[in-house]
Amino acid sequence: MKFADLHLHTFFSDGTFSPEELAGHGARLGFSALALTDHDTVEGCARMAAACAEADMEFIPGAELTAEHRGTEVHLLGLFLDAQNEKLRSEIAVFQAVRQDRIREMAARLNELGVPLEAESVFALANCRSPGRPHVARALVKAGLVRNLDEAFERFLKKNRPAWVPKARMSALEGIEIIHQAGGLAVMAHPGLNRTDAVIPDLVEAGLDGLECFHTKHSTAMAERYLQIADQFHLLVTGGSDCHGFSKGKPLIGTVKLPYAHVDKLKATRTSRVAANSKPLQSQGS
Ligand code: AMP
Ligand code: ZN
Ligand code: FE
Ligand code: FE
């Protein structure tokens, strides 16, 4: 039985594994295919592709975009992205700059609270273009300003705590468009976690391709519910662990094993879309 994990993070965003370490774990666990879906970046994809090839695993380049629709936060996974796509790269560069401004804002708030953390020390620790709250938390621990990551979130960084700064969210419709024009399939991530059911019909209308039915934080009942919704809206089915390495306790890779038949369906959709897009104009729609 072949299986895949289509939701993984490395240290190119807020995970702790290098692409090589992540691929190593995937290979040891017997995965046939892995997708890399770092937040707002495709920087890790080249190394991950090489590491997966080395370990004889299939690799799917991707990213996770933070979006919203009608006030509801929606995380979009772009799978099979062309990591070289210029529009994709320029769009995500904007979101990376916004992330960096957010870190500066969080550092400024901490300073106002008498916590002397400099944004530069967060950037140095993160050493990536997509820094987030986990990097601020790690920098606080490293500087000895809190005892552990939990304390950093509880005292300062959790929603509505004094150094919390909301994250910028792109429109989900725009996110789907960006993913499609970069050759990717647009998938709604962990709908059970973000409680995004109400916006599914609108996003399907906008071209959503799939639903992440299997996720570490989905109960069996939730997975079944989303499989039904996927069926109802003719959406592809994906699944992944959302592993961030050691940043949230034990690594999650291995907790979700998506049957490979779903990867075949994703690939078939992607292939037929590429073929449709490359047809000469006059032969389309006839
Ligand atoms: P951001 O995307 O920058 O808002 O950061 C979100 C990340 O912070 C997610 O990966 C969460 O798992 C992590 N996070 C959120 N709340 C906590 C918490 N209380 N303790 C540890 N990590 C957290
Ligand atoms: Zn993350
Ligand atoms: Fe997410
Ligand atoms: Fe994720």
Side-chain angles (χ1 to χ4, degrees):
M1 179 73 173
K2 289 167 72 180
F3 46 85
D5 187 330
L6 305 185
H7 190 157
L8 295 163
H9 298 272
T10 66
F11 62 29
F12 281 97
S13 65
D14 56 0
T16 64
F17 288 147
S18 65
E20 293 77 18
E21 287 167 335
L22 185 59
H25 284 285
R28 271 192 295 282
L29 289 161
F31 281 97
S32 295
L34 300 180
L36 182 60
T37 55
D38 269 318
H39 301 279
D40 296 333
T41 188
V42 287
E43 273 177 288
C45 287
R47 277 174 60 177
M48 189 71 181
C52 285
E54 182 85 9
D56 223 8
M57 279 180 300
E58 201 171 331
F59 174 61
I60 298 164
E64 181 172 12
L65 307 178
T66 306
E68 75 171 326
H69 186 68
R70 298 186 190 281
T72 299
E73 181 158 325
V74 177
H75 290 192
L76 291 172
L77 299 173
L79 297 176
F80 302 95
L81 292 175
D82 169 10
Q84 303 306 321
N85 182 275
E86 278 306 321
K87 178 118 192 316
L88 175 72
R89 293 178 84 96
S90 68
E91 293 284 353
I92 60 186
V94 172
F95 278 84
Q96 291 168 353
V98 171
R99 278 176 170 273
Q100 291 158 22
D101 287 343
R102 178 177 178 237
I103 301 292
R104 290 188 190 94
E105 174 71 22
M106 286 192 272
R109 294 205 188 175
L110 285 164
N111 296 167
E112 280 167 28
L113 295 162
V115 181
L117 185 79
E118 287 185 29
E120 287 312 316
S121 70
V122 180
F123 295 140
L125 176 143
N127 192 29
C128 72
R129 295 195 174 108
S130 284
R133 278 184 295 165
H135 299 114
V136 178
R138 286 179 221 160
L140 282 167
V141 174
K142 193 174 172 208
L145 296 164
V146 296
R147 276 163 306 199
N148 52 44
L149 299 175
D150 270 347
E151 186 185 337
F153 274 94
E154 286 304 322
R155 279 179 63 195
F156 302 119
L157 301 173
K158 258 172 79 164
K159 188 170 181 182
N160 298 326
R161 293 291 197 270
W164 174 69
V165 178
K167 192 156 75 174
R169 312 188 289 199
M170 71 173 75
S171 130
L173 306 185
E174 185 195 349
I176 292 170
E177 173 68 29
I178 291 169
I179 290 167
H180 281 169
Q181 70 80 36
L185 299 177
V187 174
M188 182 187 278
H190 46 66
L193 205 62
N194 288 16
R195 299 173 192 281
T196 41
D197 296 19
V199 304
I200 291 174
D202 276 6
L203 299 196
V204 168
E205 182 80 12
L208 186 74
D209 298 296
L211 203 55
E212 190 180 45
C213 299
F214 303 103
H215 183 273
T216 311
K217 291 195 176 156
H218 281 181
S219 63
T220 308
M222 266 185 203
E224 276 166 14
R225 169 178 166 71
Y226 289 111
L227 285 167
Q228 272 178 12
I229 293 177
D231 192 47
Q232 180 190 343
F233 288 99
H234 307 291
L235 291 167
L236 294 157
V237 171
T238 80
S241 64
D242 210 352
C243 178
H244 282 72
F246 282 109
S247 59
K248 298 177 194 168
K250 199 173 172 297
L252 293 173
I253 184 168
T255 57
V256 172
K257 293 180 170 174
L258 179 74
Y260 190 83
H262 292 296
V263 179
D264 276 330
K265 288 184 191 164
L266 290 160
K267 280 162 50 176
T269 301
R270 147 113 168 140
T271 306
S272 59
R273 182 146 331 144
V274 170
N277 290 343
S278 63
K279 264 187 210 160
L281 269 179
Q282 60 266 38
S283 69
Q284 271 182 11
S286 58

